[in-house]
Amino acid sequence: MVQDRTFDIVAIGGGTAGLVTAAGGAGLGASVALVERDRLGGDCLWTGCVPSKALIGSARVARHVRDAASFGLGIPRQDIEATDVLSSVRDVRAQIEPHDDPERFRAMGVDVVEGAARFVSPHEVEVAGRRLRARRFVIATGSRAAVPPIPGLEEAGYFTHAEAFDRDTIPASLAVVGGGPIGVELAQAYRRLGTEVTVVELLDRLMVREEPELADLLTSRLREEGIRIRTGRIVTRVDRKGDGRTVTIAPPAAAAEPGVEGRDETFEVDEVLVAAGRAPNTEELGLAAAGVETAGGWITVDSRLRTSRKHIFAAGDVTGGFLFTHVADHEARTVVQNALFPVRANIDYRVIPWCTYTDPELAHVGLTEAEAHDRHGASVSAHVYDIGNLDRAIAERAAMGRVKIVVGKGGRILGGHILAPGAGTMIAEISLAMKAGVKLGTLASLVHPYPTMSEGVKRTADAYRRSTLTGWRKSAVDLALRIGRALPP
């Protein structure tokens, strides 16, 4: 076993959190080792953000071709060749791959070590015949698709998003197990590429973390596109039938009471996609040897992202918090400061936006209306603007969606929710306002270029301003109008 020098930081995991930690630490002059057992880039590059958005992009074009007549274009319908679509997705991934190339990080001064790391003590890990010592460790091993214990599933065969983009075929029919962001994004993409899709969700609606009225609007859109949605149902069994699968579903209560007739429902599909949550990648790290505590396999951290061993940090999905690439980046930046400098920072989760990249996109920051009422009581109000009234949405033939902004006392923004094309970009304006303490009424005075989707935020702020013109405020406005009319021109 080769004994290495002692590094300032050893980052375990080459996804977003590990890459940002390594680049940030090396850029500040620290000695850094980055350990990765597979390929740098992690889930985001290889099986998540990048290829899924490329597939969604192809599916959007397919939809536009089918809807060309609404744009006054007589484009004939095109046959979709699955091999070409999936090859183009991999081409996009290959264009972005150099951003995470090991040689790029070595050029920064990072010691990139290929292999699986395992703690042998609180201050040492073994990897690929080397023993790495460090003043600080950062565990950034991420998460993977969780597979529920459905009878017959393993034998029948299934795939997850991790395998979706290295295939050469698009199934003719598909059951999607799970109605969260991954399941919904891929369900719509496959449907637009010609697949017959059924989504099965245990809870009573899709996208349960989102503002209900916007999630319901999106669900209606998915149904309009031909996606079959079965909420309040659990998959009780999957059986192989020739080259296809038979899927059995039932209400959760019925599934708990086998033999209740008339409650089961079966349907046949070619394949099954499992998108039913995430599981942490911690089993092989030797955390017991390091004294690092976990809860359900997820690593527990404090507000500085320190584990139960204060010199060992964790960032990204492996902590089980917000499982998003941009949050992993945010956490890694905080870890670099806390690992290298005496002035420490607490992680700030108050304003974390996220987006589900359906069409239209569904973006979220802060509290839902129900959550805000629970925390802040009767001072909460919600203000809404329908995207269908927006000139740009009409011009784009995309007049479907809504902006909803939740405010507390004095117009303080507590949450923002947008269903619209480009909602993931639009939500940044609300996020910045929340971060800076800008009140909703102030957004009404912000000048937006015309015509843009972001005007939807301004129109919502206008609605808030109008709602405040009651009582003495309305009387003051009426008085000012009377005085104005009496003044000479």
Side-chain angles (χ1 to χ4, degrees):
M1 186 67 63
V2 178
Q3 176 69 56
D4 273 85
R5 62 193 173 99
T6 299
F7 292 89
D8 291 319
I9 299 177
V10 169
I12 304 171
T16 298
L19 294 172
V20 172
T21 297
L28 291 168
S31 58
V32 180
L34 174 62
V35 181
E36 172 53 47
R37 65 180 180 179
D38 188 11
R39 301 171 290 185
L40 293 190
D43 184 70
C44 182
L45 172 62
W46 296 104
T47 63
C49 313
V50 170
S52 67
K53 303 313 164 282
L55 184 69
I56 288 167
S58 295
R60 184 179 298 112
V61 171
R63 171 78 177 191
H64 282 324
V65 170
R66 282 195 292 271
D67 292 345
S70 66
F71 290 84
L73 301 172
I75 300 174
R77 293 204 172 196
Q78 306 292 315
D79 292 332
I80 294 173
E81 178 54 58
T83 302
D84 293 341
V85 170
L86 292 167
S87 177
S88 75
V89 169
R90 292 189 285 273
D91 286 345
V92 169
R93 189 171 62 186
Q95 292 177 50
I96 295 176
E97 180 184 352
H99 299 172
D100 298 337
D101 184 82
E103 294 309 315
R104 178 171 177 262
F105 281 81
R106 290 186 175 110
M108 297 178 191
V110 177
D111 187 348
V112 179
V113 183
E114 298 177 2
R118 185 175 184 84
F119 281 96
V120 293
S121 77
H123 292 277
E124 293 179 311
V125 295
E126 288 183 357
V127 51
R130 296 173 61 179
R131 181 164 289 190
L132 307 180
R133 290 185 58 85
R135 294 176 54 251
R136 303 285 187 268
F137 288 90
V138 180
I139 301 172
T141 49
S143 66
R144 64 187 183 278
V147 180
I150 300 171
L153 180 64
E154 289 287 344
E155 296 79 4
Y158 65 92
F159 70 100
T160 71
H161 76 282
E163 297 83 37
F165 309 109
D166 288 317
R167 298 156 52 94
D168 290 320
T169 60
I170 293 173
S173 58
L174 179 69
V176 178
V177 182
I182 294 174
V184 168
E185 284 183 0
L186 292 179
Q188 187 183 46
Y190 279 116
R191 178 69 194 117
R192 290 180 164 193
L193 294 170
T195 303
E196 295 294 328
V197 178
T198 300
V199 177
V200 183
E201 168 56 46
L202 170 64
L203 301 177
D204 61 0
R205 63 183 178 88
L206 302 184
M207 308 294 292
V208 293
R209 295 180 67 189
E210 304 297 337
E211 182 65 42
E213 68 181 81
L214 271 63
D216 289 346
L217 279 175
L218 177 58
T219 300
S220 297
R221 173 63 176 268
L222 298 176
R223 286 195 168 111
E224 288 171 4
E225 293 193 16
I227 297 174
R228 182 170 175 257
I229 297 171
R230 303 294 286 141
T231 54
R233 296 293 186 275
I234 187 171
V235 178
T236 59
R237 184 166 188 84
V238 178
D239 293 293
R240 187 84 183 207
K241 185 176 181 180
D243 292 332
R245 284 88 179 159
T246 298
V247 179
T248 303
I249 65 175
E257 301 176 21
V260 178
E261 294 186 6
R263 305 299 296 275
D264 288 352
E265 175 186 347
T266 63
F267 57 92
E268 295 183 5
V269 292
D270 288 335
E271 299 198 49
V272 175
L273 167 64
V274 174
R278 309 290 294 173
N281 294 323
T282 55
E283 298 91 340
E284 300 176 3
L285 288 173
L287 296 179
V292 173
E293 296 177 0
T294 61
W298 305 96
I299 296 178
T300 55
V301 293
D302 64 12
S303 62
R304 296 180 181 177
L305 297 172
R306 299 176 300 183
T307 70
S308 50
R309 287 285 190 170
K310 301 309 181 188
H311 69 288
I312 301 177
F313 297 79
D317 283 13
V318 76
T319 66
F322 294 91
L323 308 186
F324 303 109
T325 295
H326 53 283
V327 175
D329 181 296
H330 177 50
E331 290 176 340
R333 293 168 187 266
T334 302
V335 163
V336 168
Q337 176 176 340
N338 290 341
L340 295 178
F341 299 108
V343 178
R344 307 296 167 80
N346 292 321
I347 190 74
D348 183 3
Y349 292 118
R350 291 175 302 165
V351 184
I352 295 292
W354 66 73
C355 183
T356 300
Y357 296 93
T358 47
D359 180 18
E361 295 176 357
L362 180 56
H364 173 131
V365 64
L367 303 177
T368 65
E369 183 179 3
E371 291 168 342
H373 276 296
D374 287 344
R375 297 191 193 183
H376 300 282
S379 65
V380 170
S381 61
H383 306 274
V384 174
Y385 180 82
D386 282 327
I387 291 295
N389 297 320
L390 201 63
D391 292 359
R392 180 58 183 271
I394 296 169
E396 294 283 350
R397 286 73 156 181
M400 186 271 184
R402 186 168 296 170
V403 179
K404 182 173 185 177
I405 301 177
V406 182
V407 299
K409 188 175 182 180
R412 181 168 67 96
I413 302 174
L414 302 175
H417 311 275
I418 304 176
L419 180 68
T425 301
M426 293 169 64
I427 202 71
E429 179 178 332
I430 301 175
S431 301
L432 178 59
M434 292 176 68
K435 184 79 172 178
V438 174
K439 296 182 178 181
L440 182 54
T442 304
L443 293 185
S445 63
L446 182 65
V447 179
H448 290 74
Y450 172 88
T452 57
M453 292 291 184
S454 64
E455 284 185 287
V457 176
K458 180 183 179 71
R459 301 300 177 216
T460 311
D462 287 340
Y464 165 73
R465 269 193 173 175
R466 288 192 296 272
S467 75
T468 64
L469 293 178
T470 60
W472 68 266
R473 291 186 180 89
K474 182 65 167 64
S475 298
V477 170
D478 291 342
L479 176 61
L481 283 171
R482 288 197 298 272
I483 294 173
R485 289 177 184 132
L487 293 174

